[in-house]
Amino acid sequence: MRFFIDTANVEDIKKANDMGIICGVTTNPSLIAKEGRDFKEVIAEIASIVDGPISGEVKATTTDAEGMIAEGREIAKIHPNMVVKIPMTVEGLKACKALTAEGIKTNVTLVFTANQALLAARAGATYVSPFLGRLDDISVRGTELIEEIAEMFAAAGDIDTQIICASVRNPMHVTECALAGADIATVPYKVIEQMTHHPLTDAGIAKFQADYKAVFGE
């Protein structure tokens, strides 16, 4: 399983990229709005940092296929690595089909059932993004959805659509996604940072440092 970072914060993207573990970035209207910056400006800066797929979403207020297609074409022009993020709706599927036919990569988002993922795959989506955390919020195990989608895609035999685990809230989600067969986990920087820590690692480092100083000093 590979890692994308789920943010529009350029500083967090730089820090994760410097760690050498991310190969793409996902954003959404809420993340872009949080930064309070121009959409194209933010995306262009992200593209200068990470050499990999960058998901930029159509406007949250655009609900018709024609509008999504027009916006998708503009997003694709920003950089060759752009992926157009489209909501899982009837109109979104129409837009996915049209953009895919033009050679534009797509990421169908807000997926909460295996059937939705299958529809997106058949519409030509490059990626599907099932949301784990939001399912957990309503007492439904999000990782079971990942398992269902992975099994369904494997059984079909002719689906190239990649599964991106989204709405990842904690390190355990990441482990479960990898075991469930996800292709990618898109993770906030906070979770990436949490994954690097363990009490025994921290204690071990502290002991090694103390032992070294006891013999050699500072």
Side-chain angles (χ1 to χ4, degrees), residues 7 35 37 40 52 94 98 112 122 174 184 188 195 203 205:
T7 185
E35 296 307 306
R37 297 175 58 193
K40 289 186 178 180
K94 293 178 186 177
F112 292 97
R122 291 308 184 194
V174 177
I184 300 155
M195 290 172 64
I205 291 171

Side-chain angles (χ1 to χ4, degrees), residues 71-87:
E71 288 180 23
R73 288 170 180 155
E74 291 304 308
I75 291 170
K77 289 177 184 177
I78 297 172
H79 192 276
N81 288 349
M82 291 307 300
V83 177
V84 180
K85 209 170 181 184
I86 301 169

